[in-house]
Amino acid sequence: MSPGQGLSAFPEGMTRDGSRIHDAADYTDELVARTRAARESLGTPWGEKGEYAEQMQKAIGEAEETLYLLLDHIAVAQRQAADGTVRTASGFQGAEDANLDIAAGTDLDGTERPGGRR
């Protein structure tokens, strides 16, 4: 592979698309809120008295709360991924700007000349 080919970055696209990851986190939060509201409106389907109700609450009730906790963690991870992607894009943009400034101030024979980005 010749120089200039291979790995490349598009900072503007990374920033735009990285910000959209927040939409996935918001959607996850929305799903949890709607599911909780719908589930709570049903009450306790297996009742609240007796050994059967106790066993169902222990098994399904705890699993339900664990699922909500997991989805909350997923939303946090999605937000962290979005923020990390935007920070990475900013770093790529900074490196690109610095490389252009360096290249603009150097002749092909390696001598430095006044100038900068043009």
Side-chain angles (χ1 to χ4, degrees):
M1 187 175 294
S2 64
Q5 293 182 341
L7 181 64
S8 65
F10 178 48
E12 296 85 6
M14 289 177 67
T15 299
R16 180 191 64 239
D17 294 341
S19 296
R20 289 181 182 162
I21 299 171
H22 281 284
D23 295 342
D26 294 342
Y27 182 68
T28 301
D29 287 339
E30 180 185 329
L31 284 176
V32 169
R34 282 191 304 171
T35 303
R36 273 188 187 266
R39 171 63 187 86
E40 288 171 3
S41 71
L42 295 174
T44 307
W46 47 83
E48 297 186 18
K49 294 182 183 175
E51 184 179 336
Y52 178 76
E54 183 180 314
Q55 291 298 321
M56 291 298 288
Q57 180 59 36
K58 185 175 180 181
I60 296 177
E62 290 178 17
E64 181 180 34
E65 288 307 312
T66 300
L67 175 62
Y68 293 143
L69 182 62
L70 174 64
L71 290 171
D72 287 341
H73 286 304
I74 288 172
V76 168
Q78 289 168 322
R79 286 187 177 84
Q80 290 174 342
D83 295 342
T85 302
V86 170
R87 278 194 308 274
T88 299
S90 177
F92 283 151
Q93 186 63 55
E96 183 177 296
D97 291 344
N99 286 337
L100 288 172
D101 288 343
I102 290 169
T106 306
D107 280 333
L108 292 177
D109 63 4
T111 58
E112 290 189 25
R113 61 182 161 85
R117 188 172 188 179
R118 298 178 196 257

